[in-house]
Amino acid sequence: MRVPLSWLKEFVDITLPVEELAERLTRAGLECEGIERIGIEGADLPWDPEKIVIGSILEVRRHPNADRLVLADVDYGAGAPHTVVTGAPNLFPYKDKGRLPQPLKGVFAREGAELYDGHAEGWVKMRLKGRLVRGIMSDAMLCSEKELGLSEDHEGILILPDDAPVGMPLRDYLGDMVLKFDVLPNMARCLSILGVAREIAALTGAPLRMPEMTVVEDGPPIEGRVRVTIEEPDLCPRFTATLIEGVTVGPSPLWMQRRLIMAGMRPINNIVDISNYVMLELGGPNHMFDADRVADQHLIIRLARPGERLVTLDNKEHNLDASLGGGMLPLLVCDPQGPLSLAGVMGGASSEVSATTTRVLLEVAVWDPTIIRRMSSALRARSEASKRFERGVDYELPPLVQRRALSLLQRIAGGRVAKGMIDNYPRPWKPVTLDLTPREVRRIIGISLSAAEIADLLRPLGFACDLIDNGAAVRVTAPSSRRDITMLADLCEEVARMYGYDRIPLTLMADALPEQRNNPSLELELRVRDLLAGAGLDEAITYSLTSMAAVAAVNPADADASLYLRLANPLTPEREYLRRSLLPTLLEALAQNLRERERVLLFEIGRVYLKRAPGSDDPRPEEPRRLALALAGRRYERSWHTPDETVMDFFDLKGIVETLLARLNVSGVQFIPLTDDPRFHPGRAARLERDGRVLGVIGELHPEVCERLEIAVPRAMAAELDLELIGALVEPVRYRAISRYPATTQDLSLVAAITVPADRVAATIRKYAGALLESLTLFDVYEGEQVGAGKRSLTYRLVFRAPDRTLNDAEIAKIRQKIVRGLEYDLGATIRG
Amino acid sequence: MSLIDQLNQLEQEALAALERAADLTALAEWKSAYLGKQGALSRLSRGLGALPAEERPAAGARFNAVRATLEQALERAEAQLKRIARQHAFEADQVDVTLPGRAPAIGRLHPTTQMLRTIYSVLGEMGFQVWESPEVETDEFNFQLLNMPPDHPARDMWDTFYIDTAPGEPTLLLRTHTSPGQIYAMRANAPNPVRAILPGKCYRYEQVTARHEMQFFQVEGIAIGEQISFADLKGTLVAFAERLYGKGVKTRFRPSYFPFTEPSVEFDIECFLCGGAGCRVCKHSGWLEILGAGMIHPTVLRNGGYDPEKVSGFAFGMGPERMAMLRYGIDDIRWFFSGDERFLQQF
């Protein structure tokens, strides 16, 4: 809401500096987002009071050397008139007419004045300099609106009203400030000058003034000439109508146009401008019909009927069906022949006020917020009127709006006002009355006030307050302008607001600490993040939304849209589906980073969104957390001390995953070869399983995936794990007693078929070694001629230790013998040494 | 020459020879020449027995003194040579200490994660515990139970992504705030008191710009009990702000509006970039909006299973990305979800 200061001052005296006022209002809940200055100190273009003044154009003469220029003699209140060379087309009709009987008023700028360049695109400042124009000295100007920064208009010079005082600095005449407020839904009452003024009056104690409302009802009575029928009283609780006849349509006065522009509206003509002006001023939207275009002067408020259509003011034709009411039939103002307007939202073209209108039928009504909201949403046209109706307009306001509008119409557009007002008020306002106790204020706000003090805080806002029960409570009745007040909490807020939020003390909760609980799910996340960062991976957070194209780039088989939750209103096609895997978005990030650097390691913890089986009780999807890892590029950063050029491969990622599982104390996870997943290299991928349950996948990306993602490095690795499953497998850490006795180390080199997986070899060794084996490390793998085709050699270091004694050679030899035989028997392995 | 004279001569000669020994080999030779079993000193010692008994003690004492002198001299010479040898070794082993070190590859946590952890820890000390709730929500939980029935004008404050659902199925949407989590936390605890924080991803149907993202994190906090007032809300928020932004940070409370709180408040801190003088980041107001809060609306308390006449509570919500942007001076929110290492590796 844009509030011109000059307008506000008509309603309430403002003695505070404007910045201070803005801060007071902000702290009272009406946030001032900024102060715009026009022409005055601090404006983008301050009008120099010495050089930009009101001038009187006495005579317009022909230019001796140019047909498209004229010479204007301007009296600007300082001695002899000054001659101005101008090409303003709106002065040409006065050319060669001699001294004007009624001089024109304009804005006179002298040499040295700073103005906007009227011919430039946008707002370019320039300083007025004297120069010869076709042989005549030009060192002053008559200004256009654009040159003054008042509007984009540069078609001619700005003509001021006849009573504009000659010689007065323009700054004093048109300079103003606009306070810009962010009006939240509960402050709908402040969508008007009156509403803002009322808040200021309540806060500062200054009295509130109402504007001029004198109407001379000099026409025949309206009764019997205009009829109003409300068929939908629940949707139209009140409808008033008045009639003014013999108006003259024309431009509205400059002061009104200026205020409308400053408030953010465009002037149209005096009738429409008055309608908008009164809406902005009092907060009551209204509609002006050309009464001659309303059949029988009978207005009928009803729902649309099948097949009806309406052309609105913006010349769009609408089918008046339920699609226009968000599922409800649209509410209309009609005459007996058909629809005239969409109630409270937009007028129709057929009954619009035009240049030839002489009789105006003025509608001021209160509409149900829901139907208005649905219609304006469906139309995608939030008008100034619908914005106010949606938030709720004061039921008691319409007669005031009628009087003010008629008063302005009569003054500005002339005409006779029909006696009386049609007031159809089927659902009268029911005032809300609540009993507020000091105890309740203390309970909710935490301040101790007496009932009398509470009443004193509320009264300036227009609340009627009576002390009841010997001062134990205040009976509060909300004014009709406060439709937002429905319960005690609302009143507590008003008390707190008027008391001042900043004056309320700071206390710390005195109640007992609620029962505390463990959160293993969060603890797991914290731990996984720490471990992976410790392992050298950076944490990414990517978008939960993706596209089928991005999914297909990783795995065409996954791009089955029917499995995914899809947005009904996506912003872009790239973010249309809720992900079922973290890999598409994380691998996009991997690919992106690889364009910039030689080594990338990323992880992400996030949710995926899985549709539930049809018929499930919960309509929401499942949202299990996943962990994804992606890495590629050099194993070591390029450096002077580690001239290792190797790139990471499957085992770099596997090592990270194994370490993670080990540090989480998740044991028994098997890596099963994964040969048929289109995302991965068939020989370099594995499924992680524990007790037959799949925990995730890990592997080098399939070269086709890399091609589609434009990953150019030789190998890129990715894994995706189910964090919920892993979390369930975490076992508590148990301390094992540390033996005081020395360890015995044995190396064991064996040859087995390549088809025997290493984890089977290790398991076999463990099986036969028994409890004395403290650790087992594979430290050499060899394939080649020496061991024969189809075979490989594996060399392990075994460390044995007993908790209670030093192991002797005989014991060790016996265990070794058992292992060797076991390997031979179970795996057909032979021992090399 | 008397034995004593011979000892004196030997001593002088040996010390002179030691002076000339330039390395450990020469020292070893010197040692065997003078102090060895077959060395000069041993040879002289054999003359002791031939001395008359009254001369023997003096000669013996002298003999021991010379041995001690020579042994000490040898020790000193050895130490000196070792020092020199080590000195040479050091010189050969010298490095340019300005060469870069071998950095352990330690990864980094996302700035949002770091901000969330700070929030968890500060609020955790005040007894607030983390609760999580779904991101894909029903209209009921995202709006209706939070006091926004259908067609409520406040719904305009949240532009919403809707899920494409079949006709007849319940409306699903991406939660526009973590506030639906309030209901879960309340229902799990009512009628007992609760203090919870609800972190998580939220979504808004908003054009993505440097200041607005379609996806962002939010942390909501609630405290419900029998004695909780607006003054407690203020105290809690100021304590929180002082932990995050320093003791004595200037704060401002101004009335605001959220459908699920009444009274509602916006909590600002003095802009720490300009010290309140006004700058681009604080839009020349001198204040930074840090969070929105209020006393939980009676309808919401009731929907959560509480009796609003018996208990009261407050709620507050904040944006960790915005807080991280202010803390680190980040000027574009889009980096947060870019997965770009140039961004991630700065925190």
Side-chain angles (χ1 to χ4, degrees):
Chain A
M1 175 80 191
R2 297 170 53 90
V3 176
L5 188 66
S6 58
W7 201 347
L8 195 56
K9 281 181 169 167
E10 286 184 7
F11 285 77
V12 65
D13 287 333
I14 292 171
T15 47
L16 291 169
V18 175
E19 288 77 6
E20 209 172 298
L21 177 73
E23 178 68 15
R24 284 279 294 271
L25 288 169
T26 297
R27 287 183 187 244
L30 185 58
E31 189 188 354
C32 182
E33 293 185 305
I35 300 168
E36 207 171 282
R37 292 170 171 80
I38 295 144
I40 59 171
E41 203 65 58
D44 187 48
L45 181 86
W47 300 322
D48 186 333
E50 301 287 322
K51 298 197 169 70
I52 304 175
V53 298
I54 295 167
S56 175
I57 302 163
L58 305 173
E59 187 170 353
V60 181
R61 292 176 287 127
R62 93 173 36 242
H63 190 292
N65 308 319
D67 288 345
R68 295 167 72 182
L69 295 172
V70 291
L71 304 177
D73 294 332
V74 183
D75 168 17
Y76 63 99
H82 197 98
T83 299
V84 174
V85 183
T86 172
N90 56 345
L91 286 186
F92 276 62
Y94 304 96
K95 185 163 80 172
D96 293 339
K97 295 276 158 66
R99 210 171 164 86
L100 301 178
Q102 172 69 53
L104 295 165
K105 297 288 173 61
V107 180
F108 175 82
R110 283 196 296 155
E111 183 162 20
E114 194 173 38
L115 297 165
Y116 288 115
D117 185 342
H119 299 286
E121 192 72 28
W123 302 101
V124 181
K125 284 183 200 168
M126 56 132 192
R127 200 168 284 282
L128 187 55
K129 280 199 281 276
R131 64 191 173 103
L132 282 175
V133 177
R134 297 274 175 130
I136 306 257
M137 187 59 190
S138 171
D139 60 358
M141 255 172 82
L142 286 163
C143 303
S144 70
E145 292 190 20
K146 167 135 193 198
E147 282 157 341
L148 295 167
L150 291 172
S151 78
E152 297 272 356
D153 189 4
H154 188 57
E155 271 303 285
I157 62 161
L158 169 62
I159 303 289
L160 298 177
D162 291 338
D163 60 2
V166 173
M168 179 188 264
L170 184 68
R171 167 179 296 197
D172 299 340
Y173 188 69
L174 277 188
D176 212 331
M177 275 192 220
V178 179
L179 294 151
K180 294 187 282 185
F181 294 107
D182 179 18
V183 179
L184 295 168
N186 67 327
M187 295 282 264
R189 62 185 185 278
C190 289
L191 288 172
S192 64
I193 308 293
L194 171 65
V196 174
R198 201 181 270 134
E199 287 291 311
I200 295 171
L203 283 173
T204 63
L208 189 69
R209 280 187 296 271
M210 290 306 275
E212 175 61 50
M213 301 241 182
T214 318
V215 177
V216 186
E217 292 188 354
D218 47 0
I222 190 169
E223 199 63 49
R225 295 202 293 151
V226 173
R227 275 174 65 205
V228 173
T229 308
I230 300 178
E231 291 185 9
E232 300 291 339
D234 290 332
L235 301 179
C236 179
R238 188 172 197 179
F239 192 106
T240 65
T242 57
L243 182 67
I244 180 166
E245 298 166 291
V247 298
T248 309
V249 180
S252 56
L254 179 71
W255 60 267
M256 182 175 278
Q257 293 195 22
R258 283 301 309 148
R259 285 182 176 178
L260 288 173
I261 289 170
M262 286 189 281
M265 295 193 86
R266 203 162 45 91
I268 310 284
N269 61 43
N270 50 5
I271 310 295
V272 177
D273 289 356
I274 288 168
S275 170
N276 287 331
Y277 188 88
V278 175
M279 171 181 68
L280 293 172
E281 186 172 72
L282 303 178
N286 55 83
H287 188 69
M288 309 240 181
F289 292 99
D290 182 333
D292 291 322
R293 293 157 87 177
V294 175
D296 304 343
Q297 278 81 59
H298 183 188
L299 297 175
I300 304 153
I301 291 83
R302 63 169 171 83
L303 295 176
R305 291 174 187 151
E308 282 188 320
R309 299 172 70 78
L310 175 70
V311 179
T312 42
L313 277 174
D314 52 1
N315 283 317
K316 287 189 191 141
E317 188 167 5
H318 303 277
N319 281 325
L320 302 177
D321 55 27
S323 69
L324 205 63
M328 291 165 77
L329 284 170
L331 185 65
L332 309 173
V333 178
C334 305
D335 66 13
Q337 290 172 6
L340 296 175
S341 75
L342 290 170
V345 177
M346 199 182 286
S350 71
S351 53
E352 185 185 357
V353 169
S354 72
T356 56
T357 299
T358 59
R359 300 170 75 219
V360 172
L361 181 53
L362 175 55
E363 160 201 320
V364 185
V366 177
W367 306 102
D368 169 60
T370 300
I371 182 71
I372 300 294
R373 183 178 158 79
R374 291 194 172 195
M375 289 197 293
S376 63
S377 302
L379 267 181
R380 293 180 194 284
R382 284 277 143 85
S383 62
E384 289 289 333
S386 69
K387 195 162 90 188
R388 287 168 174 79
F389 283 128
E390 276 178 34
R391 286 163 168 76
V393 163
D394 181 354
Y395 278 48
E396 299 291 297
L397 195 59
L400 212 63
V401 174
Q402 288 281 10
R403 283 236 309 283
R404 176 64 170 154
L406 288 173
S407 161
L408 287 167
L409 281 167
Q410 202 164 37
R411 215 168 88 206
I412 290 164
R416 281 163 294 117
V417 173
K419 203 182 296 296
M421 174 180 85
I422 310 270
D423 186 358
N424 218 327
Y425 197 178
R427 297 281 183 272
W429 167 249
K430 289 196 202 75
V432 173
T433 297
L434 298 160
D435 293 345
L436 182 62
T437 59
R439 191 189 154 275
E440 183 69 0
V441 170
R442 192 164 55 245
R443 182 174 84 97
I444 300 297
I445 308 300
I447 50 175
S448 295
L449 296 174
S450 68
E453 286 169 319
I454 291 169
D456 287 345
L457 288 171
L458 290 176
R459 278 194 193 106
L461 288 167
F463 290 92
C465 297
D466 294 308
L467 301 197
I468 56 167
D469 300 340
N470 293 325
V474 194
R475 179 153 291 169
V476 183
T477 303
S480 61
S481 60
R482 295 303 303 270
R483 283 178 65 178
D484 58 310
I485 303 291
T486 60
M487 54 176 192
L488 287 175
D490 296 324
L491 288 181
C492 286
E493 176 170 68
E494 294 305 300
V495 170
R497 219 163 59 82
M498 295 307 283
Y499 183 79
Y501 274 22
D502 282 325
R503 285 175 60 203
I504 295 168
L506 303 176
T507 56
L508 287 174
M509 288 177 278
D511 71 328
L513 191 66
E515 195 183 333
Q516 302 279 294
R517 63 183 186 118
N518 288 330
N519 191 340
S521 145
L522 178 72
E523 284 156 23
L524 174 73
E525 258 187 48
L526 294 173
R527 188 135 168 70
V528 170
R529 285 195 167 96
D530 285 343
L531 285 167
L532 291 175
L537 287 81
D538 290 322
E539 185 191 10
I541 299 175
T542 63
Y543 288 96
S544 308
L545 290 156
T546 184
S547 66
M548 280 303 116
V551 170
V554 175
N555 186 0
D558 281 345
D560 173 359
S562 71
L563 296 173
Y564 289 77
L565 289 160
R566 185 184 159 275
L567 291 185
N569 55 337
L571 270 173
T572 68
E574 287 79 42
R575 310 270 169 245
E576 186 175 358
Y577 293 92
L578 278 163
R579 63 185 179 187
R580 290 169 50 85
S581 160
L582 308 188
L583 289 180
T585 47
L586 190 64
L587 290 177
E588 270 174 18
L590 176 73
Q592 192 65 41
N593 281 303
L594 285 169
R595 280 170 213 148
E596 287 277 338
R597 52 191 64 214
E598 299 179 307
R599 180 172 190 273
V600 180
L601 299 92
L602 292 173
F603 78 94
E604 176 170 11
I605 291 175
R607 298 184 188 188
V608 295
Y609 311 85
L610 309 176
K611 281 188 182 177
R612 280 181 214 268
S616 161
D617 286 344
D618 194 344
R620 302 167 185 85
E622 286 182 79
E623 298 182 14
R625 280 167 311 159
R626 293 276 170 83
L627 162 65
L629 304 99
L631 43 97
R634 298 174 64 99
R635 182 163 291 131
Y636 303 100
E637 289 287 2
R638 197 179 281 278
S639 72
W640 65 273
H641 46 66
T642 312
D644 185 331
E645 299 283 329
T646 54
V647 295
M648 291 185 280
D649 64 16
F650 177 80
F651 294 104
D652 291 273
L653 182 53
K654 185 181 175 192
I656 290 167
V657 171
E658 284 174 319
T659 304
L660 175 70
L661 293 172
R663 295 294 295 275
L664 291 174
N665 215 28
V666 172
S667 58
V669 176
Q670 287 180 292
F671 287 72
I672 317 260
L674 179 63
T675 55
D676 58 355
D677 189 317
R679 292 173 290 182
F680 296 113
H681 185 310
R684 289 173 167 258
R687 201 168 60 237
L688 277 73
E689 283 191 14
R690 158 78 188 257
D691 305 330
R693 288 220 283 181
V694 178
L695 307 183
V697 291
I698 175 173
E700 292 187 13
L701 291 179
H702 198 288
E704 286 174 8
V705 175
C706 289
E707 266 169 47
R708 288 192 294 261
L709 294 172
E710 295 176 34
I711 292 174
V713 294
R715 299 179 187 280
M717 279 58 67
E720 185 166 36
L721 306 175
D722 188 323
L723 210 51
E724 311 292 348
L725 284 181
I726 288 173
L729 298 174
V730 170
E731 283 158 42
V733 171
R734 301 289 307 169
Y735 162 80
R736 273 171 299 142
I738 297 161
S739 170
R740 283 172 228 251
Y741 298 93
T744 306
T745 301
Q746 288 268 306
D747 286 351
L748 183 70
S749 190
L750 60 97
V751 176
I754 274 174
T755 49
V756 178
D759 68 344
R760 240 187 106 198
V761 177
T764 308
I765 295 173
R766 284 210 166 86
K767 185 170 102 185
Y768 291 103
L772 297 176
L773 179 67
E774 187 180 75
S775 73
L776 177 68
T777 313
L778 175 66
F779 68 90
D780 188 55
V781 179
Y782 173 76
E783 285 170 41
E785 281 174 27
Q786 283 178 22
V787 292
K791 295 188 167 187
R792 64 177 168 179
S793 138
L794 303 169
T795 307
Y796 292 89
R797 169 152 296 186
L798 293 79
V799 177
F800 294 95
R801 199 195 300 262
D804 53 353
R805 63 188 190 281
T806 304
L807 292 169
N808 62 42
D809 293 352
E811 271 178 296
I812 298 296
K814 222 169 119 188
I815 295 170
R816 186 182 171 94
Q817 195 55 37
K818 238 171 108 183
I819 296 171
V820 169
R821 267 200 238 117
L823 286 167
E824 282 171 359
Y825 183 78
D826 288 3
L827 307 175
T830 56
I831 303 307
R832 300 177 73 212
Chain B
M1 206 171 359
S2 75
L3 187 58
I4 285 186
D5 287 341
Q6 286 178 52
L7 277 170
N8 288 345
Q9 195 180 342
L10 178 66
E11 184 186 52
Q12 291 201 354
E13 185 192 315
L15 288 175
L18 190 59
E19 287 282 315
R20 290 191 299 274
D23 56 26
L24 289 170
T25 327
L27 275 192
E29 281 166 12
W30 179 90
K31 189 180 177 185
S32 89
Y34 293 98
L35 292 172
K37 280 190 179 134
Q38 304 301 321
L41 199 57
S42 291
R43 280 201 305 276
L44 275 186
S45 74
R46 285 173 211 136
L48 273 177
L51 288 181
E54 67 275 15
E55 287 180 27
R56 239 181 268 161
R62 181 63 197 144
F63 179 83
N64 285 336
V66 170
R67 174 171 286 276
T69 304
L70 293 189
E71 280 175 349
Q72 280 165 16
L74 173 65
E75 225 168 82
R76 275 199 304 277
E78 274 176 345
Q80 173 68 11
L81 275 181
K82 274 190 190 153
R83 240 191 329 273
I84 291 167
R86 184 162 288 158
Q87 191 59 41
H88 289 313
F90 282 157
E91 277 163 23
D93 203 25
Q94 190 177 331
V95 298
D96 175 359
V97 296
T98 67
L99 279 171
R102 294 185 182 88
I106 298 175
R108 297 172 188 256
L109 296 180
H110 194 281
T112 303
T113 299
Q114 296 188 35
M115 200 69 227
L116 284 171
R117 287 190 176 188
T118 306
I119 295 167
Y120 296 165
S121 117
V122 172
L123 290 172
E125 288 169 29
M126 300 187 211
F128 289 85
Q129 293 199 289
V130 172
W131 281 76
E132 291 187 277
S133 75
E135 290 172 26
V136 180
E137 263 303 351
T138 57
D139 187 89
E140 184 192 13
F141 272 75
N142 197 70
F143 291 123
Q144 295 170 36
L145 293 173
L146 297 171
N147 194 33
M148 275 177 284
D151 301 308
H152 195 284
R155 287 188 175 213
D156 288 350
M157 292 162 73
W158 296 273
D159 291 315
T160 310
F161 280 118
Y162 287 94
I163 304 289
D164 189 20
T165 46
E169 287 178 12
T171 302
L172 286 181
L173 46 81
L174 296 184
R175 66 176 174 193
T176 54
H177 41 204
T178 47
S179 313
Q182 289 187 14
I183 302 290
Y184 295 98
M186 285 187 215
R187 287 184 178 177
N189 288 282
N192 297 318
V194 61
R195 290 182 202 173
I197 41 178
L198 306 140
K201 261 185 192 173
C202 303
Y203 305 85
R204 301 250 170 104
Y205 180 77
E206 236 175 62
Q207 281 307 327
V208 176
T209 65
R211 296 182 60 84
H212 297 281
E213 251 297 355
M214 55 187 279
Q215 165 181 312
F216 56 91
F217 278 76
Q218 203 178 55
V219 181
E220 183 120 344
I222 54 167
I224 298 171
E226 279 189 13
Q227 305 283 338
I228 294 174
S229 72
F230 191 86
D232 292 327
L233 168 64
K234 281 190 66 178
T236 304
L237 294 184
V238 168
F240 176 73
E242 291 197 329
R243 287 289 302 278
L244 259 79
Y245 301 102
K247 195 97 191 140
V249 61
K250 262 174 87 178
T251 60
R252 176 172 83 165
F253 290 87
R254 55 194 166 80
S256 187
Y257 173 72
F258 306 104
F260 31 86
T261 50
E262 186 78 30
S264 302
V265 60
E266 203 84 53
F267 179 53
D268 303 335
I269 59 164
E270 189 175 69
C271 180
F272 47 73
L273 297 163
C274 61
C279 68
R280 197 179 53 85
V281 175
C282 63
K283 290 194 232 158
H284 303 283
S285 69
W287 296 99
L288 294 170
E289 273 182 42
I290 291 299
L291 47 78
M295 297 304 290
I296 300 172
H297 195 283
T299 304
V300 178
L301 279 175
R302 214 173 283 121
N303 290 339
Y306 289 97
D307 178 354
E309 302 202 347
K310 291 211 178 88
V311 302
S312 52
F314 61 73
F316 53 90
M318 63 192 115
E321 282 98 359
R322 177 173 157 72
M323 290 162 76
M325 287 173 84
L326 292 172
R327 167 176 284 189
Y328 301 116
I330 301 165
D331 60 359
D332 193 332
I333 193 172
R334 287 170 291 196
W335 287 114
F336 283 80
F337 307 111
S338 64
D340 195 313
E341 297 266 35
R342 291 172 297 175
F343 176 73
L344 299 175
Q345 292 193 341
Q346 293 190 40
F347 307 99

